[in-house]
Amino acid sequence: METLTDLTPAEVQERLTAQGLPAFRSKQILNWIYGKTVTDFREMTNLSKPLREELAEKWRISSLKELKQNKASDGTTKFGFALYDGSIIESVRIPMETGKQTFCISSQAGCAMGCKFCSTARMGLIRNLSPSEIVCQALHLRRSAGLNEKQVFNIVFMGMGEPLANTDNVLKAINILTDKDGMNLSRRRITVSTCGIVNGIRRLAREPRPPRLAISLNAADDETRRKIMPITEGNPLDELLDQLKRYPLPPRERFTFEYVLIGGVNDRDEDAAKLPRLLNKLRYKINLIPFNPFPGSGFLPPDPARIEAFQQILFSKNITATLRKSKGCEIQGACGQLATTLKKPRG
Ligand code: SAH
C-alpha cells in the first residue's frame, strides 16, 4: 500500500487525478489531512462513502502508530511511535515561554554519527525515515496539541538521527510541511540541526528556500571535538566554517551553534575564549546546553559556577549566548536523551 503523506501536494493531485478524481477532491483531501489533521478517510465527511472506501483500500495516510506519551511537569511531552516495520522513534512537544510550541522531530531511527555524549548514538543507525514518517510526526504532535490550522508552531530536527545523513527525505518532508496545500508552515519556523556534515550543508545551501540551520558545535577546536564527535574526521572545523560562510543566510537571520557543556571536556575558559575567534565573520548565537546525563554515559555536566563563568566569557565578547534550560529531563525527553527504551511491539 502506498502512503499519501510521502507525496508533495502536487504529486497527490497528480496521482488522484490519474485515479479519476477531479482536482477539487484532491484539495478537499489535502485539507482534511494538513488542515484538520484527519488521518482516516472514514472521517472525511464531504466525500461519498464509496469514494472513502476506495481511497482507504489504495492509500495509507499516517505511517505512525502512537505507542506512548510521557508528560513531564514542565509540560514537555515525549511521544513514542512505531513504524510499519516495528522500529521505534521518538518526538518531543515542548511548550515555549513565548506561548508557542516547538516540535522536536526525528529524521532517522537511531543514528550513525556516534557522538559520545548522546544516548541516541548508542542505538546505532536502524534506518532513514521516509518523508511521510517525518511529516506524520508533525501532524501527530499538532493534533495532540489541539492546534488548528491557523496556529503556528516551530519544528526543529533535533530528535533522533542526523538530518543531513537523510537529506533527500528531510528536504521532501520540508517541502510538504511548507507547501500551501500541505501544512503551510513558513520555512522560518523550521530548523535543521546538524552535527556538521559539510557536504550536506552545501546541498541545503543550493535549495531555493533553505531552512534555518543549527550546528552542534560542542567544541572550539578539532582536537577536543574529535574526542566527542567522530564526525569531525572528514568534516574539520575550517571546512565547516568555510561552508557556513557560503550559506545563503537571509538578512536578520543567524546561525545557531549548540554547545553541550560537558564537565572537564569542553568547558574550560580557553574553550569559551576560542569560540568568538573561530566563529568570526558569521552571524550567530550560541545555545549552551548543560550535558543531560543518561545511564552509563560517563560524563557529567559542569557545576553551575563553571557554566556561569563560561557564559560570562562569551558575554564579555558581546556574543549572544543563551543557557538552554533542559526541558523534559525527568522523562528522558531532553537533548541527547532520546533512545528507545520502549519494547518493540510483537507481530
Ligand atoms: N544530529 C543532529 C540532530 C540531533 S540534535 C545534530 O547533531 O545536531 C540533538 C542535540 O542535542 C545536539 O545539539 C546535541 O549536541 C545535543 N545533545 C546530544 N546529547 C546531549 C546530552 N546528553 N545532553 C545535552 N545535549 C545533548
Side-chain angles (χ1 to χ4, degrees):
M1 196 186 277
E2 279 191 279
T3 309
L4 212 55
T5 44
D6 258 330
L7 307 177
T8 63
E11 288 169 341
V12 169
Q13 179 131 359
E14 201 177 294
R15 296 293 302 278
L16 294 182
T17 304
Q19 203 181 313
L21 263 66
F24 79 94
R25 285 276 179 238
S26 307
K27 284 259 157 71
Q28 284 175 324
I29 294 167
L30 287 165
N31 185 253
W32 278 111
I33 301 174
Y34 296 109
K36 304 192 174 66
T37 60
V38 164
T39 53
D40 185 340
F41 286 111
R42 280 170 302 194
E43 291 173 37
M44 301 187 177
T45 47
N46 58 1
L47 310 181
S48 74
K49 261 230 165 96
L51 177 58
R52 284 184 246 169
E53 271 156 31
E54 184 191 326
L55 288 165
E57 270 166 34
K58 278 213 171 74
W59 297 97
R60 180 192 296 129
I61 299 178
S62 174
S63 47
L64 301 178
K65 192 166 137 233
E66 185 181 316
L67 295 177
K68 200 169 165 177
Q69 273 191 33
N70 273 317
K71 193 166 179 166
S73 49
D74 62 16
T76 303
T77 310
K78 181 164 89 166
F79 295 78
F81 295 110
L83 311 181
Y84 69 87
D85 63 354
S87 309
I88 290 166
I89 56 164
E90 294 182 332
S91 325
V92 187
R93 181 156 61 71
I94 309 161
M96 306 301 282
E97 289 74 17
T98 56
K100 296 219 168 54
Q101 309 232 11
T102 293
F103 300 170
C104 178
I105 66 178
S106 296
S107 55
Q108 299 180 310
C111 186
M113 298 298 117
C115 299
K116 300 281 189 280
F117 48 82
C118 178
S119 83
T120 307
R122 302 270 168 109
M123 296 172 67
L125 178 65
I126 296 167
R127 69 169 172 83
N128 281 337
L129 299 189
S130 64
S132 164
E133 287 161 344
I134 297 170
V135 166
C136 287
Q137 293 173 66
L139 266 183
H140 208 94
L141 268 56
R142 198 187 105 190
R143 181 166 56 200
S144 87
L147 299 182
N148 66 37
E149 56 200 297
K150 300 227 162 56
Q151 290 173 294
V152 294
F153 52 89
N154 301 308
I155 291 182
V156 295
F157 281 88
M158 296 184 189
M160 289 177 168
E162 167 51 44
L164 298 186
N166 184 20
T167 316
D168 285 342
N169 291 351
V170 165
L171 286 176
K172 186 160 192 191
I174 292 176
N175 281 338
I176 298 169
L177 293 168
T178 54
D179 195 297
K180 69 174 181 3
D181 293 321
M183 201 116 61
N184 196 20
L185 203 65
S186 154
R187 61 155 284 285
R188 286 179 296 110
R189 300 213 166 272
I190 301 182
T191 301
V192 169
S193 179
T194 176
C195 62
I197 300 182
V198 177
N199 273 335
I201 298 174
R202 190 173 298 131
R203 168 91 196 277
L204 276 197
R206 287 202 298 263
E207 282 294 293
R209 293 180 316 137
R212 288 200 168 196
L213 197 57
I215 302 96
S216 298
L217 190 63
N218 302 332
D221 59 71
D222 282 326
E223 197 193 331
T224 311
R225 199 165 192 262
R226 258 196 302 269
K227 288 186 194 148
I228 48 176
M229 299 181 74
I231 189 71
T232 310
E233 211 64 58
N235 294 274
L237 287 171
D238 58 349
E239 283 180 33
L240 173 62
L241 295 167
D242 213 49
Q243 190 51 49
L244 291 176
K245 284 183 192 131
R246 296 160 205 258
Y247 198 78
L249 192 68
R252 288 195 295 278
E253 282 189 17
R254 1 182 216 180
F255 295 112
T256 300
F257 289 102
E258 293 148 292
Y259 197 103
V260 181
L261 281 165
I262 310 174
V265 175
N266 61 358
D267 63 342
R268 297 159 293 193
D269 284 352
E270 62 188 84
D271 295 311
K274 274 186 200 161
L275 283 171
R277 271 177 269 150
L278 179 73
L279 305 177
N280 182 25
K281 298 213 178 100
L282 292 172
R283 288 203 308 283
Y284 65 95
K285 63 173 180 209
I286 297 183
N287 238 328
L288 299 172
I289 317 168
F291 172 71
N292 290 312
F294 55 88
S297 71
F299 292 125
L300 285 172
D303 62 54
R306 180 89 295 268
I307 295 172
E308 164 87 25
F310 195 96
Q311 190 179 27
Q312 284 304 330
I313 293 175
L314 296 174
F315 286 163
S316 72
K317 312 270 189 219
N318 288 319
I319 308 292
T320 312
T322 51
L323 188 59
R324 194 193 286 171
K325 283 200 223 87
S326 271
K327 294 183 178 250
C329 229
E330 78 215 54
I331 52 165
Q332 296 279 303
C335 299
Q337 294 185 317
L338 301 188
T340 47
T341 45
L342 299 164
K343 290 231 163 56
K344 276 195 178 188
R346 282 170 195 279

